[in-house]
């Protein structure tokens, strides 16, 4: 919306402090915009999601990249423990009725900072532990490839339409379950969860 020049002049004459406060607010806006870490918030990005047949099983393959990881790095160094959760669900598309779920799988791993060794720690299922002083290197190496087994390939029907839905979230592990259930409207995610969908016809 553009104001007429005469209206602007009238406003400035009536309120001499307008230009001073307006300039201060504008300056603060630019200052906040260019603060380190403020210009770009952390986010989870999906890389190369594919679905294929391996030895008769439906395999969902993908990678995850954490962009602008300063926010997460600071949270970990301040003692916060996080959990990566990847929830994959395969649905058969229905034209009239709701889509029916064919298969699903959930993967989770823990992420925290060990102050004694001064390293970031990634704990995978099966007590597999990986450490690195650099969070970006640790996640780049360990999040580059995920494989989720969604069950027998024989469950798919020829000529039918399907969609694979993947939800990825990074949230806190120390929040009690009863509190999560009580404050069900509150998001415990450190960064916003990301949802992706892959549509295909078999």
């Amino acid at each position: 919306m553009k104001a007429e020049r005469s209206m602007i002049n009238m406003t400035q004459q009536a309120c001499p402090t307008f230009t001073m406060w307006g300039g201060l607010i504008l300056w603060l806006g630019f200052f906040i915009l260019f603060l380190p870490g403020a210009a770009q918030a952390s986010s989870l990005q999906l890389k190369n999601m594919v679905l294929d047949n391996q030895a008769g099983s439906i395999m969902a393959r993908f990678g995850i990249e954490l962009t602008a990881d300063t926010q997460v790095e600071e949270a970990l160094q301040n003692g916060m423990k996080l959990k990566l959760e990847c929830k994959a669900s395969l649905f058969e598309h229905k034209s009239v009725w709701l889509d029916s779920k064919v298969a699903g799988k959930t993967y989770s791993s823990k992420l925290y900072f060990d102050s004694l060794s001064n390293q970031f720690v990634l704990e995978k299922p099966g007590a597999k532990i990986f450490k690195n002083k650099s969070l970006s290197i640790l996640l780049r190496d360990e999040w580059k490839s995920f494989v989720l087994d969604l069950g027998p390939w024989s469950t798919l029907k020829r000529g039918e339409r399907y969609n694979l839905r993947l939800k990825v979230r990074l949230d806190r592990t120390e929040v009690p379950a009863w509190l999560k259930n009580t404050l069900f409207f509150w998001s415990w995610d450190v960064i916003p969860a990301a949802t992706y969908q892959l549509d295909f016809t078999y």
Side-chain angles (χ1 to χ4, degrees):
M1 182 172 63
K2 186 180 294 184
E4 295 294 332
R5 183 179 299 275
S6 59
M7 292 179 64
I8 295 176
N9 291 336
M10 288 173 58
T11 305
Q12 291 178 345
Q13 289 173 3
C15 304
T17 57
F18 172 82
T19 52
M20 180 182 69
W21 284 108
L24 180 60
I25 292 171
L26 185 62
W27 181 84
L28 285 173
F30 279 112
F31 178 74
I32 293 172
L33 180 64
F34 291 103
L35 274 175
Q40 185 181 8
S42 299
S43 64
L44 295 169
Q45 302 290 333
L46 186 71
K47 299 173 62 180
N48 307 321
M49 183 166 72
V50 297
L51 198 70
D52 61 10
N53 183 346
Q54 181 177 345
S57 295
I58 305 170
M59 294 293 187
R61 304 175 186 275
F62 57 92
I64 298 173
E65 180 181 359
L66 176 65
T67 63
D69 58 7
T70 304
Q71 180 182 349
V72 175
E73 185 173 325
E74 290 177 352
L76 293 170
Q77 288 175 331
N78 288 330
M80 189 179 294
K81 295 183 178 180
L82 306 177
K83 177 181 69 174
L84 174 73
E85 183 177 87
C86 306
K87 185 176 182 180
S89 302
L90 183 63
F91 290 86
E92 181 181 348
H93 179 71
K94 302 289 185 180
S95 300
V96 180
W97 307 104
L98 294 175
D99 294 350
S100 60
K101 188 173 181 179
V102 176
K105 189 82 171 184
T106 300
Y107 169 91
S108 65
S109 62
K110 297 177 182 179
L111 186 64
Y112 56 93
F113 182 73
D114 182 5
S115 57
L116 293 178
S117 63
N118 197 33
Q119 295 185 96
F120 295 95
V121 182
L122 179 64
E123 188 175 329
K124 291 186 175 182
K128 297 178 181 178
I129 296 177
F130 303 87
K131 298 182 179 182
N132 200 300
K133 290 185 179 295
S134 168
L135 177 64
S136 58
I137 293 176
L138 177 65
L139 299 186
R140 183 194 65 194
D141 293 343
E142 303 304 327
W143 284 8
K144 63 183 177 183
S145 179
F146 294 87
V147 181
L148 300 184
D149 187 342
L150 300 179
W153 188 268
S154 58
T155 56
L156 301 181
K157 304 172 185 175
R158 286 286 183 183
E160 295 296 330
R161 295 167 59 192
Y162 295 90
N163 59 68
L164 173 64
R165 303 170 193 174
L166 178 65
K167 185 171 185 178
V168 181
R169 66 191 311 161
L170 188 64
D171 63 3
R172 310 179 189 190
T173 61
E174 72 274 14
V175 181
W178 66 267
L179 185 58
K180 282 191 174 184
N181 294 333
T182 304
L183 301 178
F184 61 90
F185 52 85
W186 187 270
S187 175
W188 300 103
D189 298 336
V190 176
I191 55 179
T195 304
Y196 304 91
Q197 181 167 314
L198 175 66
D199 299 309
F200 66 97
T201 300
Y202 176 51

